[in-house]
Amino acid sequence: LKMYILLVLMPLTCRGRVRGLEPSRGDVDDALGKFSLTLIDTLDTLVLLNKTTEFEEAVRRVLTDVRLDNDIVVSVFETNIRVLGGLLGGHSMAVMLKDAGHHMQWYQDELLHMAKDVGLRLLPAFNTSSGLPYPRVNLKHGIRGPESRTGTETDTCTACAGTIILEFAALSRFTGDPVFEVHARRALDFLWEKRQRNSNLVGTTINIHSGEWVRRDSGVGAGIDSYYEYLLKAYILLGDDLFLQRFNIHYASIMKYISQPPLLLDVHIHKPLLPARTWMDSLLAFFPGLQVLKGDIRPAIETHEMLYQVTKKHNFLPEAFTTDFRVHWAQHPLRPEFAESTYFLYKATKDPYYLEVGRTVLDNLNRFARVPCGFAAMKDVRTGSHEDRMDSFFLAEMFKYLFLLFAEEEDLTFNVEDYIFTTEAHLLPLSLSTAPHTPSPPANTTVQEELDDSNFDWTCPNTRLLFPDPAFPRNLRDPIRSAVDKSCPRPAIHREPGMGRPPLRAQDFMANNPDHLELLRRMGVSLIHLKDGRVQLVQHATQAVSAVAAEDGMRFMQEMMELSSQQQKEQLPPRAVQIVSHPFFGRVVLTSGPAQFGTDLSKSITGVRGFVTVAEPYSGCAELSNAAFVQGRIALLQRGQCMFAEKARHIMKAGAIGGIVIDDNEGSSSDTAPLFQMAGDGRNTDDVTLPLLFLFYKEGNILLEALKEYREVEVLLSDKARDRGRDVQEEEEDCSTDQTSPVPAATLDQSQVRTVKQDESAPHNEDVTPEDDVGPAIKRNPEPEEEPEVDMDSSRKSVEAMMADWREDLEAFQQMEDEL
């Protein structure tokens, strides 16, 4: 790496970013306090790169030019890790150089004095009943008073409150003033006490006054990440066993609930078996490095490999990506977490593979991010467009970790093993653990009663003994590479005659078939259920019961990839399920997903209109027992137990004119989940000639509630909502006076609504009561072999609440139409 002493934060326009002079970027600007952020954040980087002359000059510039009493509101978290951490790291390096006798002989702890000044300016933020800091503080006026322009916030992120201890404890031990460490410990103690006691997980956002969790999703990425990091590193730096005990309890829960190798998926703290989202953010890329410090190498290798393959796919790690490795948020602000984990894995394993990974990162930075005045963040990794931004952490962290990854022993002027890296990669000496300090009072905790000693490792394993086979890491990486690349390796394994065909074909696989799941297990294939109802398959050849089973697994995965590729046709737009009968008159439109087979509603002028009825069995996976009621109607079906095409064939045989599949994943909604397309079964589906649409649970429940309330419900299946005005209402004008809560019609499409005529010869059963004609109400039943029972009263909403939901869906569908 060639080091540039750059103070430029806007590398495209080649100028510094001064807060207030440039358009506001919102919370991102809270890191800027008019205190030469990049200069301070980069001090110890200069020493690590053996730029001692430049370091000495930079320190003098900090002392003469930087002011800390600015009337400006800054982030407590960012100011702590970047400014306080940068000053402490710079002080550590200055003392080290002075003691060596060659540089900084004039230094008299000036950076430490500035660091204490920063600490004192942050302390007012901790003046809360809980001890958790306010998220922001005014550098000049603190929290109280109108001139501070802050202090009204009630929430902060877990990482914001839990990433203080290293810097504050170091400041206390450098200066002999215990007040900083006391406040940082108090905040950590409060977070520990507020963990969810059953799952031992913490949420993402907490109320700083009441301690109530505001966001109850839990993961290892944004909002929580460095809280876990600082628990382990506080033990390493300070030598307090309490921090390690707490970290290990959290870590056991992370590996139990959040870790689904190679994925790390957020969950709910009260229901940790329930995923909270189906995408991952790039900040979790630090976690493999933390696992190395913990001594848990295998999952670190697996997650890191997944991240590397995503990086190779997009040149950089997108700010967020889905569980099938597509871009979710396309930005990349030159984050260093992946390089950090790469460095730690290389240090632990000495595997040259990680030098190749580092070379890829370095080459991509030079090829795609380097500009004349520095390195520009990527605005969109898919297009390669730039953003006029180079955050200080790029020089503070990325340069350090990449340099250390490639550095030979003679390139280093001091032993980095004598220091610990903060979350901003600032260097704090491990000797602080023996520095004089006031012992902290014992925390109000019952940790000793909760400990299971078998879970806790007090030393890191010897990786050469742990992985004696040099090919072992490669065997972990290859299946993950295959999953991301959508192409599986075909190992040259000699099989016995007649065993060339796998015991399970991809086209026959059912995710809820116990026999199929057992076959997957024997082949070393693990299955991950995603929140939106899809499943993720990953194969670990080393976990197969035999070499033959491993090859079967490889071939099954290859078939599955090919089947998935066939099914991933051009993205289809959403469809509409419009309730046109009384009292809705077309005003309720439910966003639905299309099928990749059957009638193409986009080519139909009229759509398909008919009354709905619930199929029996509700799954639609067998010949319908109520075929007489389904004939000439639109059948309602529940997702699961068989392929979508099989459901369509069964309702076609019963004479249905269309079908609606309702998700069985309780709580799913088109508001939060991506558009779902129903794929075929890998066979020819030309025989399916009716339309089949998919509703998530929320939208499907609206339709089922309407059916229970009004007995006869007519819907229109179409590519977009039709006119909700004259034509539909004229057809129903004899009962329009019953409508007591009209909803203003939204004009999405002015095309004429026409009714699809049903078969005049369709039989009618005069003896059937309206209740029977409606069909069974639906109760979710986890046992697939049992018939669903009739019970929807528990989920029934008030009419007012339902109408509010319908209005939300109407707005959502109109927005989706506008985007198409």
Side-chain angles (χ1 to χ4, degrees):
L1 287 172
K2 181 179 179 182
M3 178 63 193
Y4 291 88
I5 305 177
L6 292 170
L7 302 183
V8 177
L9 292 178
M10 301 175 69
L12 298 182
T13 52
C14 295
R15 66 181 193 270
R17 178 180 292 277
V18 180
R19 189 170 173 183
L21 299 183
E22 301 293 339
S24 173
R25 300 175 298 171
D27 292 348
V28 175
D29 283 341
D30 287 348
L32 307 179
K34 296 184 178 179
F35 35 39
S36 299
L37 177 62
T38 304
L39 178 62
I40 292 175
D41 214 4
T42 314
L43 288 175
D44 51 4
T45 302
L46 293 169
V47 179
L48 183 67
L49 300 182
N50 199 19
K51 301 290 182 179
T52 51
T53 301
E54 291 85 347
F55 170 73
E56 192 160 355
E57 178 186 349
V59 172
R60 292 185 185 277
R61 292 287 297 273
V62 169
L63 299 180
T64 57
D65 296 347
V66 173
R67 290 186 55 186
L68 299 172
D69 61 344
N70 301 308
D71 182 9
I72 194 166
V73 176
V74 297
S75 162
V76 173
F77 168 76
E78 297 289 356
T79 303
N80 174 68
I81 65 172
R82 299 202 208 186
V83 181
L84 179 55
L87 291 170
L88 291 173
H91 170 69
S92 300
M93 295 295 97
V95 170
M96 183 268 295
L97 291 173
K98 183 178 180 180
D99 290 345
H102 301 295
H103 299 275
M104 302 295 294
Q105 295 304 300
W106 54 271
Y107 182 68
Q108 297 294 325
D109 295 343
E110 289 88 350
L111 291 178
L112 180 59
H113 299 323
M114 291 186 69
K116 186 172 183 179
D117 189 7
V118 173
L120 291 172
R121 294 180 186 279
L122 295 180
L123 275 184
F126 291 81
N127 187 22
T128 62
S129 57
S130 66
L132 299 179
Y134 283 93
R136 297 173 184 84
V137 67
N138 187 297
L139 288 176
K140 186 173 185 177
H141 300 292
I143 293 293
R144 303 298 180 187
E147 67 274 10
S148 71
R149 304 186 306 282
T150 189
T152 59
E153 303 95 335
T154 58
D155 306 334
T156 192
C157 72
T158 301
C160 299
T163 312
I164 306 289
I165 185 65
L166 292 190
E167 292 82 3
F168 268 41
L171 182 58
S172 284
R173 300 194 181 196
F174 273 133
T175 63
D177 186 346
V179 64
F180 306 104
E181 184 171 347
V182 168
H183 280 289
R185 283 179 176 265
R186 184 182 175 211
L188 275 182
D189 290 344
F190 190 83
L191 289 174
W192 171 254
E193 287 299 315
K194 290 300 178 180
R195 75 194 186 282
Q196 211 291 322
R197 296 304 178 97
N198 292 323
S199 67
N200 279 316
L201 295 173
V202 292
T204 302
T205 308
I206 191 170
N207 185 293
I208 61 176
H209 303 297
S210 67
E212 294 294 320
W213 291 110
V214 179
R215 281 185 53 193
R216 294 176 171 85
D217 48 314
S218 184
V220 296
I224 302 181
D225 48 1
S226 49
Y227 163 69
Y228 293 132
E229 177 186 4
Y230 268 38
L231 282 178
L232 180 57
K233 289 185 175 180
Y235 163 70
I236 297 171
L237 179 65
L238 307 177
D240 189 335
D241 292 350
L242 182 67
F243 294 123
L244 180 63
Q245 292 169 350
R246 291 179 179 179
F247 171 80
N248 280 329
I249 289 174
H250 281 315
Y251 186 77
S253 293
I254 290 170
M255 299 309 291
K256 181 177 181 180
Y257 299 119
I258 296 171
S259 177
Q260 301 180 35
L263 309 180
L264 292 163
L265 296 177
D266 283 20
V267 299
H268 296 277
I269 58 174
H270 294 92
K271 297 180 179 179
L273 298 177
L274 180 65
R277 64 190 189 191
T278 57
W279 49 271
M280 295 167 279
D281 65 74
S282 62
L283 285 171
L284 62 75
F286 90 101
F287 197 68
L290 190 65
Q291 289 179 307
V292 171
L293 290 182
K294 158 72 177 170
D296 201 359
I297 306 296
R298 176 174 180 148
I301 291 174
E302 293 176 325
T303 299
H304 179 274
E305 181 62 23
M306 178 269 292
L307 295 168
Y308 180 42
Q309 295 306 318
V310 174
T311 298
K312 291 191 353 182
K313 246 177 123 65
H314 306 292
N315 295 323
F316 298 97
L317 200 59
E319 193 73 334
F321 53 93
T322 63
T323 52
D324 52 359
F325 316 116
R326 292 174 296 157
V327 172
H328 186 69
W329 295 334
Q331 305 93 330
H332 175 73
L334 306 181
R335 293 200 185 276
E337 286 77 14
F338 179 66
E340 174 186 357
S341 288
T342 303
Y343 163 67
F344 279 112
L345 271 168
Y346 179 67
K347 287 286 289 183
T349 65
K350 294 300 179 184
D351 187 341
Y353 176 80
Y354 296 109
L355 296 178
E356 299 175 18
V357 175
R359 173 59 64 184
T360 300
V361 173
L362 188 59
D363 288 345
N364 287 344
L365 284 171
N366 282 320
R367 288 177 60 198
F368 303 112
R370 193 166 184 168
V371 293
C373 290
F375 293 82
M378 307 304 296
K379 186 175 183 179
D380 192 319
V381 298
R382 295 165 299 190
T383 63
S385 57
H386 288 126
E387 187 175 356
D388 200 5
R389 168 184 180 184
M390 187 179 76
D391 288 271
S392 65
F393 54 66
F394 179 70
L395 296 177
E397 299 183 68
M398 183 73 85
F399 269 33
K400 278 196 187 84
Y401 290 125
L402 288 178
F403 176 79
L404 288 170
L405 177 63
F406 295 107
E408 302 291 344
E409 187 174 345
E410 58 269 19
D411 296 325
L412 301 175
T413 58
F414 63 96
N415 187 3
V416 294
E417 302 296 335
D418 292 336
Y419 297 82
I420 191 167
F421 290 104
T422 68
T423 195
E424 192 75 3
H426 292 306
L427 293 156
L428 297 179
L430 295 176
S431 59
L432 288 174
S433 63
T434 60
H437 65 283
T438 302
S440 299
N444 180 22
T445 180
T446 56
V447 136
Q448 294 295 340
E449 300 174 7
E450 302 169 0
L451 286 181
D452 177 0
D453 289 341
S454 64
N455 288 332
F456 305 129
D457 299 322
W458 296 86
T459 59
C460 292
N462 185 320
T463 55
R464 284 173 293 183
L465 296 177
L466 190 63
F467 304 141
D469 181 3
F472 184 79
R474 185 176 69 251
N475 292 336
L476 293 178
R477 292 191 290 256
D478 285 351
I480 298 168
R481 181 182 301 117
S482 300
V484 179
D485 288 346
K486 303 296 184 187
S487 62
C488 287
R490 296 180 180 271
I493 301 176
H494 296 287
R495 299 174 56 88
E496 298 176 13
M499 297 189 63
R501 181 172 177 171
L504 177 64
R505 302 298 304 273
Q507 64 187 29
D508 300 324
F509 170 68
M510 293 299 302
N512 58 356
N513 185 316
D515 294 335
H516 291 184
L517 296 179
E518 173 61 18
L519 287 172
L520 290 189
R521 185 193 67 78
R522 295 180 61 83
M523 294 188 295
V525 178
S526 59
L527 181 145
I528 301 169
H529 289 273
L530 306 179
K531 185 180 179 183
D532 62 6
R534 295 176 299 160
V535 294
Q536 185 88 23
L537 297 173
V538 177
Q539 197 211 17
H540 301 270
T542 57
Q543 296 179 9
V545 296
S546 67
V548 171
E551 185 183 4
D552 287 338
M554 292 285 189
R555 295 194 178 188
F556 172 81
M557 292 293 289
Q558 180 67 34
E559 283 189 357
M560 188 61 73
M561 297 300 178
E562 293 170 355
L563 179 62
S564 176
S565 178
Q566 293 171 8
Q567 294 171 348
Q568 290 177 355
K569 300 177 181 177
E570 182 179 356
Q571 184 76 9
L572 298 174
R575 305 300 188 213
V577 175
Q578 189 172 9
I579 306 179
V580 297
S581 55
H582 166 77
F584 311 101
F585 301 117
R587 293 188 175 90
V588 175
V589 180
L590 307 176
T591 302
S592 61
Q596 295 176 347
F597 54 88
T599 301
D600 185 353
L601 291 171
S602 67
K603 299 178 180 178
S604 171
I605 300 176
T606 61
V608 173
R609 180 169 176 165
F611 289 91
V612 297
T613 193
V614 177
E616 297 180 11
Y618 187 34
S619 67
C621 294
E623 189 170 331
L624 301 194
S625 60
N626 64 338
F629 305 139
V630 171
Q631 185 171 8
R633 289 175 171 252
I634 296 171
L636 301 183
L637 307 152
Q638 187 179 45
R639 180 182 185 178
Q641 302 186 37
C642 65
M643 305 294 282
F644 293 118
E646 184 177 347
K647 298 176 189 288
R649 292 185 179 103
H650 282 133
I651 63 173
M652 273 186 61
K653 186 175 180 181
I657 60 173
I660 300 173
V661 178
I662 298 175
D663 195 9
D664 62 346
N665 183 13
E666 187 170 358
S668 67
S669 166
S670 63
D671 298 336
T672 56
L675 179 69
F676 185 87
Q677 297 189 73
M678 293 178 288
D681 55 5
R683 303 181 178 90
N684 191 318
T685 53
D686 291 345
D687 59 315
V688 179
T689 57
L690 53 66
L692 194 68
L693 298 183
F694 178 89
L695 289 178
F696 283 108
Y697 183 88
K698 174 188 171 185
E699 290 76 13
N701 199 47
I702 290 172
L703 185 56
L704 290 172
E705 285 291 341
L707 184 59
K708 182 175 177 64
E709 179 76 15
Y710 299 102
R711 301 182 180 177
E712 290 283 11
V713 174
E714 189 178 18
V715 301
L716 174 67
L717 311 183
S718 60
D719 63 329
K720 60 175 65 177
R722 308 296 180 179
D723 187 355
R724 291 115 198 215
R726 285 188 314 278
D727 297 338
V728 174
Q729 208 152 352
E730 284 172 4
E731 292 177 14
E732 306 285 353
E733 71 179 331
D734 60 320
C735 56
S736 62
T737 56
D738 293 334
Q739 185 175 354
T740 58
S741 302
V743 180
T747 305
L748 299 187
D749 183 75
Q750 296 298 325
S751 58
Q752 186 78 6
V753 177
R754 283 185 276 174
T755 304
V756 176
K757 294 184 179 180
Q758 300 181 17
D759 186 357
E760 297 285 345
S761 63
H764 298 279
N765 190 335
E766 301 296 338
D767 296 329
V768 176
T769 64
E771 288 82 6
D772 290 334
D773 191 48
V774 168
I778 308 306
K779 176 182 178 183
R780 294 187 74 250
N781 192 328
E783 300 296 331
E785 65 272 11
E786 296 183 9
E787 192 71 18
E789 297 181 4
V790 179
D791 182 10
M792 289 195 310
D793 292 339
S794 62
S795 62
R796 185 170 180 178
K797 303 176 182 177
S798 67
V799 173
E800 292 80 5
M802 288 175 61
M803 294 302 287
D805 282 344
W806 291 331
R807 282 193 290 270
E808 290 178 6
D809 288 335
L810 188 66
E811 294 169 359
F813 191 85
Q814 184 169 10
Q815 180 180 1
M816 196 169 294
E817 281 188 322
D818 293 341
E819 293 173 353
L820 292 176

